Amino acid sequence: MPTIKNGVSLLKKHNLFFVFSLFLITTVVCGCKSTPTTVVVNPLDLLDENSAFYIAVPSQADPELGIRVIQNNIPNLTEQDAKKIFERINKIYAGITRTKRTTEIQAVADGNIPVKYMPKILSSKNGWKNVTYAPNNSSDEYKVYMYNQMDLAFPSNNIACFGRDIYSVIDKYDYIKNSSNSLEEQTSLQNYSSLPQHLYSWLEGAENEIRFYAVKPQSFLTILTGSNLDLKLFDVQGAFFTDENFPSQYVLDITFNFKNSKYLKAGKTLLTLAFGLTDSQSITINDNSLEIKGIKISKEQLYKLLIL
């Protein structure tokens, strides 16, 4: 028989506790089913497919390059402020298009962005203006900072974006953030990007090296080699590693994808002369691709390529 205390059965107390516990568990489980899943926005998804050259710059690969990218694309930003911002950045993705008259850049960065600190830097005193932008069919608003032809925005504490078509970038961010996709769909590679799969994967995989991809490689090669080479290429991709023995220069591994094997044979000869290569540095991958490893170039040469 259960013990009776103050007229209440201990068994009854236990039953009440069980019912209450069951209620809490049921509430939590059911509540979880109705809670919307937070969509994590990958900044790389925000770049469009309209650039000629793409680059991924992990912060640990070359801090000087990262600071230059920030300082040269945010007018009136001191080197000290650029360093403070860069310390919060994990990786910068950028798309660049150069013509004879202009250079356009579309860039995004992920990290722990000091958003509350930015109005002090991007103030009217420093020549900046700002507007509040609301995407169509969205309840969210975003602050856009403007200086001459440069636009800059921080749609979240983890993402910064600047340069060309900033409002389209924000629209895409807002669309992804408010997407109702399932968690399984969100974690699959390249849900939202308009970049080709191989380009997306190549850039996203950059960790200790700077990776690039030239969709229209002619201007890239002209700056890199100092020669106007017409190599009949589809594209060029590669990676820059800081030379451990000479920190002021990079070691470059690069793959040239030719339109056919005929162009590859002629291109190999021209590239061997342009880079001063030995036979041991050239590796033919297949009929249309040529990989060259161990090319040494100064860091300033890459900075020139990026107009830094």
Side-chain angles (χ1 to χ4, degrees), residues 36-37 39 175-183 185-186 192:
T37 304
V39 178
Y175 170 78
I176 298 173
K177 186 193 70 165
N178 293 310
S179 170
S180 58
N181 279 4
S182 68
L183 182 60
E185 290 173 323
Q186 292 169 31
Y192 305 101

Side-chain angles (χ1 to χ4, degrees), residues 84-85 87-90 110-115 157-159:
K84 289 180 180 178
I85 296 172
E87 288 171 357
R88 305 289 193 94
I89 298 296
N90 297 322
D110 78 302
N112 182 16
I113 312 297
V115 176
N157 291 327
N158 304 108
I159 294 178

Side-chain angles (χ1 to χ4, degrees), residues 116-228:
K116 292 183 179 180
Y117 177 62
M118 300 313 297
K120 297 180 181 179
I121 299 176
L122 310 176
S123 64
S124 57
K125 180 180 178 181
N126 289 332
W128 288 85
K129 298 179 181 179
N130 67 77
V131 297
T132 300
Y133 175 68
N136 291 332
N137 303 316
S138 175
S139 59
D140 298 315
E141 295 181 338
Y142 304 89
K143 190 78 72 177
V144 178
Y145 298 88
M146 300 170 291
Y147 185 97
N148 292 336
Q149 301 300 315
M150 172 56 65
D151 296 328
L152 178 65
F154 305 91
S156 77
N157 291 327
N158 304 108
I159 294 178
C161 46
F162 54 93
R164 176 175 59 77
D165 293 338
I166 194 80
Y167 296 102
S168 295
V169 173
I170 295 174
D171 285 343
K172 192 163 191 180
Y173 171 87
D174 187 80
Y175 170 78
I176 298 173
K177 186 193 70 165
N178 293 310
S179 170
S180 58
N181 279 4
S182 68
L183 182 60
E184 185 175 311
E185 290 173 323
Q186 292 169 31
T187 55
S188 65
L189 180 63
Q190 195 192 356
N191 276 318
Y192 305 101
S193 177
S194 56
L195 299 178
Q197 179 73 54
H198 61 285
L199 168 55
Y200 185 99
S201 299
W202 176 249
L203 295 176
E204 189 179 43
E207 294 295 339
N208 299 312
E209 74 283 0
I210 298 166
R211 291 189 177 186
F212 66 89
Y213 193 103
V215 181
K216 299 177 181 179
Q218 191 59 47
S219 61
F220 165 74
L221 285 175
T222 299
I223 294 174
L224 193 63
T225 65
S227 304
N228 188 16

